[in-house]
Amino acid sequence: LPSNMVESMSLLSSRWTGYTHQWQKPFAKEYGKYFMASTHNEDEENQATEVGYRSFIATENHVYSFLSAKDAVGCPASKEMGYKSSCDKCGLCSGTQGKGKKNIKILIH
């Protein structure tokens, strides 16, 4: 999607969620405002932060997910967080200009 279309949709929405595995590509830099970087470890999380993204950290490593990720919160829509919310109600995974301010962590499911 062109970035101006993504911007227009976000301006018309009270909340949104978005993710990309392409956050490392040069064309994707401007999408960090709206999308989360899909990451799987601390190195990727740090790289995503350097290029202007917040991370959605999906990992098999329970210790990393819940003890090491200092600037991350558990996904409220996840099993491990007790399904306290749903993605459509939550909106935390909305890039740097959306509702959330911290990285989000979740166990791979």
Side-chain angles (χ1 to χ4, degrees):
L1 291 173
S3 61
N4 63 338
M5 184 182 291
V6 175
E7 178 182 22
S8 295
M9 289 188 296
S10 74
L11 293 172
L12 294 171
S13 303
S14 60
R15 66 186 161 275
W16 68 89
T17 60
Y19 313 87
T20 182
H21 287 277
Q22 298 185 48
W23 55 269
Q24 294 173 313
K25 297 187 177 182
F27 78 85
K29 184 170 177 71
E30 62 191 293
Y31 292 90
K33 297 179 215 172
Y34 313 105
F35 301 139
M36 303 294 283
S38 292
T39 62
H40 301 282
N41 57 52
E42 190 172 6
D43 288 339
E44 288 181 354
E45 177 189 3
N46 291 334
Q47 291 170 21
T49 299
E50 288 177 16
V51 296
Y53 275 82
R54 290 191 306 119
S55 289
F56 183 79
I57 310 156
T59 181
E60 293 178 351
N61 184 336
H62 193 282
V63 174
Y64 171 71
S65 291
F66 294 93
L67 298 179
S68 302
K70 300 172 213 73
D71 65 335
V73 296
C75 171
S78 68
K79 178 180 179 181
E80 58 269 20
M81 294 300 289
Y83 302 114
K84 293 179 183 144
S85 189
S86 62
C87 294
D88 62 327
K89 291 178 185 172
C90 175
L92 289 178
C93 290
S94 50
T96 60
Q97 293 202 355
K99 180 180 174 184
K101 301 302 174 208
K102 294 188 173 200
N103 294 330
I104 309 297
K105 56 192 172 185
I106 192 169
L107 292 175
I108 291 176
H109 50 281

